[in-house]
């Protein structure tokens, strides 16, 4: 092991990921979609190279088991941005 670690021709370790995951949670009507849209628009304005993806999940839904279509309709400004993807 010492021999292997001392060799200089070993490949460089990969760069750490540059992605960030943020979660918003709260009861219905708390303003999660409004907060997320404002936060997403702020991030896009701050960094012209940033790409943003929003995945809305409703873990309490026994029928769909996931996505909330209403969130996309409430995030109209963010969902129209070229550098943002809002999954319905």
């Amino acid at each position: 092991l010492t021999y292997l670690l001392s060799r200089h021709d070993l490949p460089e370790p990969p760069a750490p990921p540059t992605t960030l995951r943020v979660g918003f949670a709260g009861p219905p009507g708390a303003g999660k979609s409004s907060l997320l849209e404002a936060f997403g628009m702020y991030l896009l304005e701050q960094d012209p190279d940033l790409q943003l993806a929003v995945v809305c999940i409703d873990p309490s839904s026994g029928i769909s088991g996931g996505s909330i279509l209403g969130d996309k309709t409430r995030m109209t400004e963010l969902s129209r941005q070229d550098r943002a993807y809002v999954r319905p």
Side-chain angles (χ1 to χ4, degrees):
L1 181 60
T2 304
Y3 170 75
L4 290 176
L5 293 175
S6 68
R7 295 187 51 166
H8 296 287
D9 60 345
L10 293 174
E12 290 292 319
T18 57
T19 58
L20 174 66
R21 293 183 193 134
V22 178
F24 292 89
K32 297 177 295 294
S33 296
S34 299
L35 175 62
L36 182 53
E37 180 170 44
F39 184 59
M41 292 301 297
Y42 172 79
L43 291 175
L44 291 175
E45 290 168 3
Q46 297 302 308
D47 185 350
D49 296 323
L50 181 75
Q51 294 181 339
L52 179 68
V54 177
V55 178
C56 303
I57 297 174
D58 180 4
S60 65
S61 173
I63 297 171
S64 69
S67 175
I68 307 170
L69 181 58
D71 279 331
K72 187 170 184 175
T73 62
R74 284 189 289 273
M75 291 185 268
T76 56
E77 189 176 353
L78 183 61
S79 64
R80 287 184 292 196
Q81 300 299 311
D82 290 336
R83 295 180 294 128
Y85 170 74
V86 180
R87 188 194 86 168

